[in-house]
Amino acid sequence: MDKLKISSARMVAESRARIEEVSTEELIEKHRDPDWVVVDIRDVRERQRSGFIPGSFHAPRGMVEFWVDPESPYFREIFGEDKKYVFHCASGWRSALTVATLKDMGFRAAHLKDGFSDWEKKGGPVETA
């Protein structure tokens, strides 16, 4: 196998350097704010297994770019609102990459810096299906 040109860790670090990161404490304080939309990009099985942030919107990572694009046949109206969007995954890696891509598309978003695992650790509310 050929050596990778860039590691996943480097991609995450480079993404984090150019996007807005929200701390767990800030999101715990603001997650019920009607002007904030928490977007969970984890796999549906992760949400079922470990629960989710109450009121969060589930957008599978593989569809996010299509769901935020008003010209896409997969566009979701929730992404057409004038809100602050905070994306999260389990540890903040996938959401950093996702938000960097969305920034490249011209979509304004932030990500939960340390992910759902830190949310749970710091006592953020968790809902189960």
Side-chain angles (χ1 to χ4, degrees):
M1 180 173 146
D2 290 337
K3 184 175 178 180
L4 294 174
K5 293 179 184 179
I6 182 172
S7 70
S8 58
R10 181 171 157 202
M11 286 179 65
V12 169
E14 288 177 359
S15 294
R16 286 182 136 166
R18 64 187 192 89
I19 63 174
E20 180 184 353
E21 296 188 304
V22 172
S23 72
T24 302
E25 295 82 3
E26 182 179 10
L27 191 58
I28 287 172
E29 180 182 316
K30 298 289 248 172
H31 92 276
R32 292 273 189 207
D33 184 323
D35 292 326
W36 286 49
V37 177
V38 178
V39 183
D40 186 343
I41 64 167
R42 296 175 302 151
D43 181 271
V44 68
R45 292 168 296 232
E46 289 176 273
R47 284 175 56 94
Q48 291 168 345
R49 185 174 53 249
S50 56
F52 51 91
I53 296 173
S56 63
F57 180 75
H58 183 233
R61 183 173 181 236
M63 292 301 294
V64 170
E65 294 85 353
F66 303 103
W67 285 16
V68 304
D69 181 357
E71 296 178 21
S72 165
Y74 302 104
F75 176 68
R76 296 293 191 262
E77 289 293 328
I78 193 169
F79 294 113
E81 300 174 12
D82 186 22
K83 307 272 185 175
K84 178 173 184 90
Y85 296 90
V86 181
F87 288 74
H88 83 83
C89 60
S91 63
W93 297 2
R94 290 173 286 175
S95 58
L97 295 174
T98 299
V99 169
T101 299
L102 294 179
K103 182 177 182 174
D104 291 345
M105 292 174 70
F107 187 84
R108 289 182 340 195
H111 93 112
L112 179 58
K113 181 180 178 184
D114 296 311
F116 185 77
S117 58
D118 196 56
W119 173 274
E120 281 186 301
K121 186 170 100 181
K122 292 191 174 153
V126 175
E127 191 173 305
T128 55

